[in-house]
Amino acid sequence: MRIGVYEHKARKGLIRVSLKIVEGVIEEATITGDFFIYPEDALFELESTLRGTKASWAEVSSKLDEFFSRGVELAGSTPEDFKTALKKALVEAGVHGEA
Amino acid sequence: MGRLRVLFYETPDNPFYSLAFEEAIFQSVMRGADTTLRFWRHSNAVIIGYFQKADEEVNIEYARKMNISIARRFTGGGAVYHDLGCLLWTVATRGPEKGSVSYLYDHLLEGFVNALRRLGFTAARENVNDVVVTIGDKSFKVSGAAGSFRGGAYLLHGTLLLNTNLEVLSRVLRVSKAKLADKKVSDVKYRVTNLANLNHSIGVPDVVKAVVESYSELLGLDPYYDLPSREEVDLARRLYEAKYSRAEWNLLRMPHSYFESASTT
């Protein structure tokens, strides 16, 4: 079991990702902070999508791209900010390669 | 000319109910209630944003020692400390059907900035949702806002530091290392100040008058004074009992859907 936590500062808002990885799979993913995302509950859908995903940047990145292609709006942050936060949280959890 | 409903409705010692009432106004306007302006306060509370976890944003031990309530609102953004020296304001209105971040933070927030200008300040929006006043070459953050939109309705609520205990504010709120290390973004957020320090003669009546006039002008509406409707009071009570009074909402950061079996209609 590995834990990865990373705080990334977007222009407006801190994005804090906490990952719990068990046997190479993301068991828990929370994305907390003072950012703005619309509709708001899309954020919880994103967390849900990440749960059960293989803990690899390729998989996670693909899920994020799909998520942001669905028309969520951000204020003061970009999809890149969320990708950076997720990527670095994976690194913190010891997931390397496939950058 | 359409109408701007002005409410003074607060429960300073129950921030949980207060925030339930915010959602009640939002739903009320969604269903066709007049554009509404609300003025309210909290005695001693930290309000965290929808995406925040209390233990990440608040010094829990200090909050406990100082009897500071911790309550979560339904809009995003950051954690704020409120005491009676902080005036809270809310504007809820119908707007563009297709939701727009810009309508919230460029248009509606400008109404509040204009109110500060009416009071004689050089004021501006900065970095999405910060409101700063500039004196000489120094800028200070006096207000922050957060909002939501759904079903053609928009709600923007925010703070105004008039005479808040800034020491308690700085001690109860945790600031992450990532924020402190960030040099790219303006640090005005950390130069918060009370409006009373900048102009001793400004009080609640002056601010309220300026905000009412400002939104009246921005939205082209005629202000009138009112009390919450029976529907709003009933809805607020239900939202409070089902959601806003609960630890799952305030501390465990559960989404709206977790509470949906309870009534939101």
Side-chain angles (χ1 to χ4, degrees):
Chain A
M1 192 264 286
R2 292 180 301 181
I3 305 268
V5 179
Y6 191 83
E7 292 184 345
H8 169 68
K9 178 80 182 69
R11 177 170 63 88
K12 163 59 63 163
L14 187 86
I15 301 166
R16 186 186 294 107
V17 173
S18 306
L19 299 174
K20 179 175 162 190
I21 297 167
V22 176
E23 284 167 20
V25 174
I26 295 172
E27 194 176 85
E28 273 167 38
T30 57
I31 305 171
T32 61
D34 60 350
F35 49 85
F36 292 102
I37 190 169
Y38 298 97
E40 287 88 342
D41 284 347
L43 189 278
F44 294 95
E45 283 166 30
L46 176 58
E47 288 178 346
S48 204
T49 299
L50 291 170
R51 263 174 248 132
T53 296
K54 182 169 168 235
S56 83
W57 177 237
E59 295 276 333
V60 169
S61 174
S62 161
K63 290 272 166 95
L64 285 170
D65 286 335
E66 200 266 330
F67 174 77
F68 283 110
S69 74
R70 284 196 277 131
V72 294
E73 267 190 271
L74 302 170
S77 60
T78 65
E80 283 314 304
D81 287 313
F82 285 85
K83 289 180 93 167
T84 299
L86 257 305
K87 188 173 184 183
K88 298 209 172 167
L90 282 169
V91 169
E92 287 298 306
V95 175
H96 294 287
E98 297 170 274
Chain B
M1 188 147 115
R3 303 200 303 166
L4 174 66
R5 185 176 68 143
V6 182
L7 296 178
F8 297 90
Y9 187 66
E10 61 173 20
T11 51
D13 293 340
N14 190 341
F16 314 100
Y17 178 81
S18 214
L19 294 172
F21 187 74
E22 285 292 279
E23 193 181 327
I25 298 178
F26 189 39
Q27 292 196 28
S28 184
V29 168
M30 234 183 277
R31 290 192 201 114
D34 281 345
T35 295
T36 298
L37 205 49
R38 175 192 182 200
F39 296 98
W40 45 306
R41 295 166 306 170
H42 292 139
S43 302
N44 193 27
V46 171
I47 310 303
I48 63 176
Y50 186 58
F51 305 114
Q52 295 186 309
K53 274 210 156 111
D55 58 2
E56 290 174 351
E57 307 297 337
V58 183
N59 285 313
I60 306 278
E61 277 313 298
Y62 180 75
R64 194 163 284 151
K65 184 179 101 168
M66 300 296 281
N67 217 32
I68 298 170
S69 303
I70 301 170
R72 174 176 169 236
R73 60 181 188 266
F74 76 94
T75 53
V80 284
Y81 172 67
H82 298 159
D83 61 15
L84 289 176
C86 179
L87 179 65
L88 306 174
W89 54 273
T90 304
V91 60
T93 187
R94 294 202 63 84
E97 277 301 321
K98 194 167 176 332
S100 159
V101 161
S102 178
Y103 191 76
L104 275 179
Y105 299 112
D106 295 329
H107 187 62
L108 287 181
L109 184 52
E110 192 66 6
F112 186 75
V113 175
N114 286 340
L116 293 179
R117 292 176 179 140
R118 277 172 187 265
L119 291 167
F121 294 100
T122 301
R125 289 177 287 120
E126 210 177 87
N127 202 18
V128 182
N129 68 332
D130 292 336
V131 178
V132 302
V133 302
T134 301
I135 312 268
D137 61 350
K138 285 197 159 68
S139 286
F140 300 94
K141 180 176 172 180
V142 294
S143 165
S148 185
F149 52 88
R150 191 162 28 115
Y154 292 76
L155 181 141
L156 181 73
H157 50 200
T159 60
L160 179 60
L161 292 171
L162 284 175
N163 204 359
T164 289
N165 188 323
L166 298 179
E167 204 207 313
V168 172
L169 183 155
S170 68
R171 290 178 71 175
V172 74
L173 299 175
R174 298 180 69 182
V175 182
S176 83
K177 291 195 203 77
K179 284 203 168 184
L180 292 172
D182 182 53
K183 294 171 183 64
K184 297 190 294 281
V185 177
S186 157
D187 65 348
V188 75
K189 184 188 183 79
Y190 309 113
R191 284 205 310 279
V192 290
T193 197
N194 282 312
L195 225 54
N197 291 341
L198 305 178
N199 183 331
H200 308 296
S201 64
I202 289 183
V204 167
D206 309 293
V207 175
V208 166
K209 181 169 188 284
V211 174
V212 171
E213 286 173 357
S214 182
Y215 277 104
S216 178
E217 181 184 66
L218 182 81
L219 300 173
L221 302 170
D222 228 344
Y224 70 99
Y225 297 90
D226 197 10
L227 288 167
S229 67
R230 175 189 295 276
E231 290 74 22
E232 286 164 342
V233 170
D234 287 346
L235 178 54
R237 182 193 311 113
R238 289 200 302 274
L239 290 169
Y240 171 71
E241 284 169 1
K243 189 159 62 184
Y244 288 88
S245 59
R246 299 191 185 266
E248 292 94 322
W249 172 266
N250 292 299
L251 304 177
L252 297 186
R253 192 184 158 261
M254 300 307 288
H256 293 292
S257 58
Y258 178 84
F259 305 89
E260 227 105 85
S261 50
S263 126
T264 49
T265 45

